[in-house]
Amino acid sequence: MSRPRCDFPDVFTAENESRKKRFTPTGQPWLKRNLSWFLENDSRDVKLNRTDVESEIGRALQRWADAAGILTFFKAPDVNSADILLSFQVGNHSSDYRPFDGPGGSIAHAFPPGTGLGGDVHFDDDDQFLIHGRYNLHQVATHELGHSLGLGHLSDSTAVMAPFYRDVDPTDFQLQPSDISYIRILYGRDDFRVSQSAHPRPPASRTYPTTLAPTPTTTTRTIQAMHCNAQFDAATETLDGGVYFFQGEQVFKVRLSVGIVDGYPKRLSEEFSGLNIGFIDAALTYHVNSTFVAICIFKSDNYWLFDQSGIIQPGYPKNITANWGGVPANLDAAFTWRGNGFVYFIKGSHYYRYNPRIGRVEAGYPRPLRNWRGVETPVDGVFRYKGQTFFLREQYYQNFDDRKFIASDKVPSAPKWLRCGTELQEDNNTIATDVTGETAGCGIIRSQYALTWIIYGLYLLMQY
């Protein structure tokens, strides 16, 4: 998927029961409590005047000061005397190792406390920041300055420190209980425990809240809460019968029988040799020819091809549009549909049907994604598992019935795919039930319906 997000690596915090803390900070705090900041340059956008930008930065810092209770901030007289430098940058800016990717995608990043780049904040000047509206500068600045103070990303999707930009009404924008607890613990105020009931309800937005499952009492394999964030950038089936879930700069390998495979999550560059591109847009398991099945990784206008050992193929990355005739850049999802064997690419509210036999998108595409009945948008990823098609959106998944051509109601992803503290039965029979519409274990569809299914299947092959 290609939703706007922060480019800070995703390392989610977890509860440490032995120390009775809700969060284990991923970074170190500033050793001093009175910090200075300075805006290094102006945006190229003439609508963003320096006075307004500095005002929004000041308001963002004041939010963290009020939450922490022991921090103060002041504007430095010049660049050389500032602890935190803020600037507008584009593309491969020479000051750090994280290039921006143009409009959309990563819209800003920041560095944790320290010397040199420590504490600095960079806004992608190819994105349009607004004082009122998308992308709201104050909201983005509040998030990035949280990183400047030592906070990492939180798995709570309602939090300001969640990795993805949330479209929240500016009048409702506020730090959430998880944000406040995090900053207070990091700066030594663990005596301030913020309860959900003592804090206003989180504002309504276009993301769903994360619910972390309770600590299990069974021996079923589970994972820590730090891995229970099930909002993924992309997903695809693995070549050994599992599923890859991509999240920021890390990748999970999952099998329903065990949950997360031992040794995962891994960094992208560890699983896929040399892939240092941050988060990805889409992934696809693709039959290049009769003997070679590859994993394709899509990011911006490029794609990479890897074999089953995670070795990149010679000559990659390559341009998407130049090599996948008619497929656009900045994709949200890609998958091969078992209904007809064609490859489908999703971007925004439309989908493209790619025919491998002719090497291009077929005539009449793109088409509205609403044709896939019941699928909620925007889509984050699509993958196949044990013959079924699954659509991902935020913290949820939908099981798509390939025969009836309709999606199920959304279901939380974390319990099923990450096994977050929930005892799950082996899903082989459940999957058989979903596909056939009959009792699990029957193995056949009643004969009186067989001809109907065949005719309907032929219809789907032609229509979608």
Side-chain angles (χ1 to χ4, degrees):
M1 58 153 283
S2 54
R3 282 182 298 161
R5 62 164 286 153
C6 166
D7 200 23
F8 192 89
D10 289 326
V11 182
F12 295 103
T13 57
E15 181 166 353
N16 184 331
E17 289 293 335
S18 64
R19 300 179 66 181
K20 302 301 180 184
K21 288 188 177 182
R22 185 176 179 183
F23 307 107
T24 302
T26 61
Q28 295 296 320
W30 290 94
L31 297 180
K32 55 184 178 180
R33 299 294 182 257
N34 187 26
L35 298 165
S36 60
W37 62 272
F38 188 81
L39 180 61
E40 192 172 3
N41 65 345
D42 296 330
S43 171
R44 297 176 301 177
D45 187 347
V46 295
K47 297 178 183 178
L48 286 180
N49 67 72
R50 190 178 187 88
T51 299
D52 288 341
V53 172
E54 290 182 337
S55 174
E56 297 307 306
I57 293 170
R59 287 203 306 129
L61 287 168
Q62 191 58 49
R63 286 187 184 274
W64 290 116
D66 293 342
I70 55 174
L71 293 176
T72 57
F73 302 95
F74 65 96
K75 180 182 172 183
D78 54 54
V79 170
N80 296 326
S81 57
D83 298 307
I84 299 171
L85 283 178
L86 303 99
S87 62
F88 292 90
Q89 305 283 352
V90 295
N92 288 294
H93 42 294
S94 59
S95 57
D96 71 50
Y97 58 92
R98 290 183 176 274
F100 282 128
D101 54 4
S106 60
I107 57 178
H109 56 226
F111 298 86
T115 58
L117 288 171
D120 290 359
V121 175
H122 297 160
F123 301 99
D124 188 349
D125 211 18
D126 281 332
D127 289 302
Q128 184 181 18
F129 294 96
L130 301 174
I131 301 301
H132 302 288
R134 192 188 192 198
Y135 306 120
N136 184 278
L137 180 65
H138 174 68
Q139 295 179 25
V140 176
T142 303
H143 176 104
E144 298 305 331
L145 286 166
H147 292 317
S148 297
L149 297 175
L151 279 63
H153 283 153
L154 292 174
S155 61
D156 176 6
S157 63
T158 69
V160 170
M161 295 310 297
F164 290 92
Y165 181 84
R166 298 173 61 244
D167 201 1
V168 179
D169 186 328
T171 60
D172 291 330
F173 179 74
Q174 59 188 332
L175 297 180
Q176 296 303 306
S178 53
D179 299 305
I180 297 171
S181 289
Y182 197 1
I183 189 71
R184 288 178 174 177
I185 290 172
L186 184 61
Y187 282 89
R189 299 296 298 273
D190 198 17
D191 54 308
F192 287 94
R193 179 50 57 108
V194 181
S195 66
Q196 185 75 31
S197 60
H199 197 84
R201 293 173 60 86
S205 72
R206 296 177 186 171
T207 62
Y208 295 97
T210 302
T211 301
L212 299 183
T215 302
T217 58
T218 69
T219 58
T220 303
R221 186 178 186 274
T222 60
I223 55 173
Q224 292 181 322
M226 68 179 296
H227 291 153
C228 282
N229 176 56
Q231 187 160 332
F232 302 110
D233 300 323
T236 192
E237 57 271 25
T238 66
L239 303 182
D240 58 359
V243 182
Y244 277 134
F245 290 100
F246 297 85
Q247 187 182 80
E249 293 185 331
Q250 62 185 358
V251 59
F252 297 80
K253 180 184 283 190
V254 170
R255 293 192 185 92
L256 283 183
S257 59
V258 298
I260 298 176
V261 175
D262 287 341
Y264 290 83
K266 295 181 180 180
R267 293 185 64 85
L268 278 176
S269 58
E270 184 181 357
E271 184 73 2
F272 301 99
S273 62
L275 191 65
N276 292 298
I277 60 172
F279 69 94
I280 70 171
D281 292 341
L284 171 69
T285 301
Y286 182 61
H287 288 255
V288 177
N289 54 49
S290 60
T291 60
F292 181 39
V293 182
I295 300 289
C296 300
I297 304 293
F298 299 87
K299 172 69 177 281
S300 187
D301 58 354
N302 290 317
Y303 75 103
W304 290 254
L305 202 68
F306 295 88
D307 66 15
Q308 61 182 347
S309 299
I311 304 301
I312 191 169
Q313 299 304 287
Y316 289 86
K318 293 184 179 180
N319 181 266
I320 295 173
T321 305
N323 292 277
W324 295 79
V327 175
N330 300 305
L331 296 164
D332 290 326
F335 66 104
T336 301
W337 187 45
R338 75 165 186 161
N340 53 24
F342 292 139
V343 181
Y344 288 79
F345 294 92
I346 296 175
K347 181 175 181 177
S349 59
H350 289 81
Y351 69 97
Y352 301 73
R353 189 168 87 174
Y354 178 86
N355 188 335
R357 291 189 292 273
I358 63 175
R360 64 170 296 101
V361 172
E362 293 190 329
Y365 293 85
R367 294 182 181 179
L369 193 54
R370 64 175 178 270
N371 289 353
W372 294 72
R373 293 186 298 154
V375 170
E376 296 193 4
T377 58
V379 172
D380 293 341
V382 187
F383 65 96
R384 291 170 59 187
Y385 186 76
K386 293 190 176 181
Q388 288 193 91
T389 304
F390 296 89
F391 284 76
L392 298 174
R393 181 174 185 267
E394 295 174 342
Q395 300 280 349
Y396 298 83
Y397 75 91
Q398 291 178 282
N399 188 342
F400 192 84
D401 190 318
D402 293 326
R403 288 195 173 98
K404 297 180 180 179
F405 209 78
I406 190 169
S408 69
D409 292 336
K410 65 185 181 184
V411 181
S413 295
K416 182 181 182 72
W417 300 107
L418 302 185
R419 305 181 73 85
C420 289
T422 300
E423 185 174 8
L424 298 175
Q425 65 181 19
E426 177 57 51
D427 290 331
N428 292 345
N429 290 338
T430 303
I431 287 177
T433 301
D434 293 339
V435 172
T436 65
E438 297 296 317
T439 303
C442 287
I444 59 171
I445 303 172
R446 293 178 181 175
S447 60
Q448 59 261 46
Y449 296 119
L451 182 59
T452 302
W453 282 121
I454 292 171
I455 295 172
Y456 188 59
L458 291 173
Y459 168 77
L460 291 179
L461 292 179
M462 298 296 294
Q463 293 298 310
Y464 298 95

